[in-house]
Amino acid sequence: MYQKIFDSHAHYNGKDFEDRDELLPQLFQSGICEIIDVASSMRSTRRTVELSSRYEHIYSAIGVHPNEVKDMTDEDYDTLRELSKLPKVVAIGEIGFDFYWDASDRDIQREHFERQLILARELDLPVIIHSRDAAQETYDLLEKYRPRGVVHCYSGSAEMAQEILKLGMYIGFTGVVTFKNAKKAVKAAAAVPMDRLLIETDCPYMSPEPNRGKRNSSLNLPYVAQAIAELKGITAEEVINVTTQNAENLLGI
């Protein structure tokens, strides 16, 4: 059993984890040392804050996903500012662009991505970035605002990863690196230096092989660590140790 595994991106606040009060203690007994529970809406922002208040090893990222920003109000930004004062709120996220689903108008996505980047700078918090089918547009705003943070569940090219790294960002990888057809993600993971790499589940999504298609949880993180270890020619334990330190450094935990 591995010790001190840090899940840098999870969604235990959602409806897929109605059994969270039974599951979470199992995770902590199995070597998961910390979890960043990430919001995607104002409703889940409130739920993750409540969850982190009940569990010692869970911290919160608060913010609104690009698919949900069409309903954001000025009052929501006031709420985010107020909640950011809580000691276990460690990031603004997940925020960004999603041009795959286009559930929010792209101009609205841009407006609220920028507003939340500005909010993170105002609050001196790192950001957790969602970027799907919008690599260049995401990079352009990261270059403009220069936040601290991570591009999570990275799906871009190895070449774009290098440009993002030059901005001082971290890059997070999920169980996708275990998929046989995920050549792009594997190539990017191989190119990202260990001191800028995070591992995550994005659970309940992105379950790695051999559990692909099932509900994901932090218990599957060793599969991600092993896949990256094989790419880097190091041990899974080394991957876990380095990525845990990286996450703690970024998030101030």
Side-chain angles (χ1 to χ4, degrees), residues 140-160:
D140 289 345
L141 286 189
L142 294 179
E143 183 182 37
K144 178 178 179 180
Y145 288 101
R146 300 292 179 118
R148 294 179 291 124
V150 55
V151 178
H152 103 95
C153 192
Y154 187 73
S155 60
S157 68
E159 293 76 17
M160 179 57 79

Side-chain angles (χ1 to χ4, degrees), residues 10-28 35 37 43-44 47-52 54-55 58 203-204 215-217:
H11 298 284
Y12 288 109
N13 62 74
K15 64 183 184 300
D16 291 281
F17 288 108
E18 297 296 342
D19 61 341
R20 64 181 67 81
D21 289 330
E22 293 76 40
L23 175 62
L24 290 171
Q26 296 176 34
L27 303 184
F28 302 133
I35 295 168
D37 193 73
R43 184 180 181 189
S44 60
R47 291 207 302 236
T48 187
V49 165
E50 190 273 333
L51 191 63
S52 66
R54 291 196 292 117
Y55 285 95
I58 292 183
C203 64
R215 184 184 73 168
N216 199 7
S217 83

Side-chain angles (χ1 to χ4, degrees), residues 1-3 5-6 30-32 175 177-178 199-201 208-211 216-230 235-237 239-240:
M1 179 172 60
Y2 296 108
Q3 299 298 318
I5 308 174
F6 195 125
S30 301
I32 307 301
V177 295
T178 70
I199 58 174
E200 58 173 280
T201 55
E209 298 289 358
N211 297 318
N216 199 7
S217 83
S218 304
L219 293 173
N220 285 324
L221 267 180
Y223 295 115
V224 180
Q226 183 60 44
I228 291 173
E230 291 171 7
T235 67
E237 186 172 9
V239 171
I240 288 167

Side-chain angles (χ1 to χ4, degrees), residues 53-105:
S53 74
R54 291 196 292 117
Y55 285 95
E56 179 184 359
H57 302 293
I58 292 183
Y59 297 81
S60 295
I62 61 173
V64 180
H65 186 287
N67 289 345
E68 306 290 338
V69 292
K70 55 187 175 293
D71 298 320
M72 282 197 84
T73 66
D74 290 342
E75 289 74 18
D76 290 334
Y77 283 92
D78 292 338
T79 298
L80 292 173
R81 284 187 183 88
E82 192 62 29
L83 291 175
S84 74
K85 299 174 185 177
L86 296 171
K88 295 187 77 179
V89 171
V90 296
I92 299 297
E94 61 186 283
I95 63 175
F97 284 127
D98 193 315
F99 292 171
Y100 178 82
W101 291 111
D102 270 334
S104 300
D105 178 87

